[in-house]
Amino acid sequence: MSTFNVPTREEVSTNHQVVFDNLNKALGFVPNLYATYAHSDTALENYINFSNAKTSLSAKEKEVVNLAVSQVNECIYCLSAHTAIGKMNGFTDAQILELRAGYASFDTKLDALARIAKNITKNRGKADQVVIDTFFAAGYTKGNLIDIIVLVGDKTISNYIHNTTQVAVDFPVAQPLEIIEA
């Protein structure tokens, strides 16, 4: 059981109250994980700025990475949140399960992306050359690779915060991954 409370708006700094208000306006609520960042005077705003920074990846591609990384890091909170976001980006339930497993039988380019995101995360940055070569052969660039590594770091931060704090999941809980990995 978590020893971490989810801070309310009244319990956070004035600066974070503004962030909470913006999140509430944009999403209709403040996700528990974001609220947990607010235990730090600086982490919430820093993370949101980092997470929303420019990237060469599309929103759909970002979700491929987020799902694969969160599965490797076994973060039920992020898997649940990114399953919902993945659906908003047009992925089906079956496709989301494949992406979590680190592949995409439905799209060659996204398959290379899912595989490299999983491989980088699983191997702590020491990606297999065959996976890198396949990624480049699918049409991605060196710039895309750097952006993926940054996104792996971004998502790993949230995965680790949830895996440590175990705050309640406030999204529909993602189903267990039971498909055979390709």
Side-chain angles (χ1 to χ4, degrees), residues 12-177:
V12 301
S13 68
T14 305
N15 186 40
H16 284 342
Q17 287 178 359
V18 172
V19 176
F20 274 37
D21 292 345
N22 290 337
L23 286 167
N24 212 356
K25 190 175 175 182
L27 305 174
F29 73 111
V30 177
N32 285 344
L33 189 61
Y34 277 4
T36 302
Y37 275 90
H39 280 289
S40 162
D41 289 337
T42 57
L44 177 59
E45 188 175 14
N46 289 344
Y47 180 74
I48 289 174
N49 288 336
F50 180 51
S51 187
N52 291 330
K54 290 181 183 179
T55 180
S56 63
L57 304 173
S58 69
K60 198 166 190 170
E61 289 170 322
K62 284 177 70 171
E63 288 316 306
V64 170
V65 175
N66 290 334
L67 287 161
V69 171
S70 295
Q71 185 65 51
V72 172
N73 289 330
E74 300 176 357
C75 180
I76 190 62
Y77 189 99
C78 293
L79 287 169
S80 299
H82 290 289
T83 292
I85 298 167
K87 289 178 184 179
M88 292 183 338
N89 277 282
F91 291 119
T92 67
D93 288 329
Q95 290 171 336
I96 288 169
L97 289 173
E98 284 190 13
L99 295 170
R100 286 174 51 192
Y103 70 97
S105 67
F106 56 92
D107 185 293
T108 306
K109 192 167 184 180
L110 294 180
D111 184 63
L113 178 60
R115 289 179 187 278
I116 200 158
K118 177 181 178 178
N119 191 265
I120 288 168
T121 307
K122 191 173 174 183
N123 295 321
R124 299 174 189 226
K126 297 176 185 148
D128 296 333
Q129 191 60 51
V130 171
V131 176
I132 295 170
D133 293 344
T134 302
F135 173 77
F136 288 139
Y140 287 103
T141 67
K142 290 176 183 175
N144 296 139
L145 179 59
I146 299 302
D147 284 344
I148 289 163
I149 294 166
V150 169
L151 185 54
V152 168
D154 166 345
K155 193 47 42 200
T156 298
I157 292 166
S158 285
N159 294 164
Y160 284 13
I161 288 176
H162 183 263
N163 288 348
T164 299
T165 65
Q166 292 294 302
V167 295
V169 176
D170 50 356
F171 290 89
V173 177
Q175 68 182 31
L177 184 64

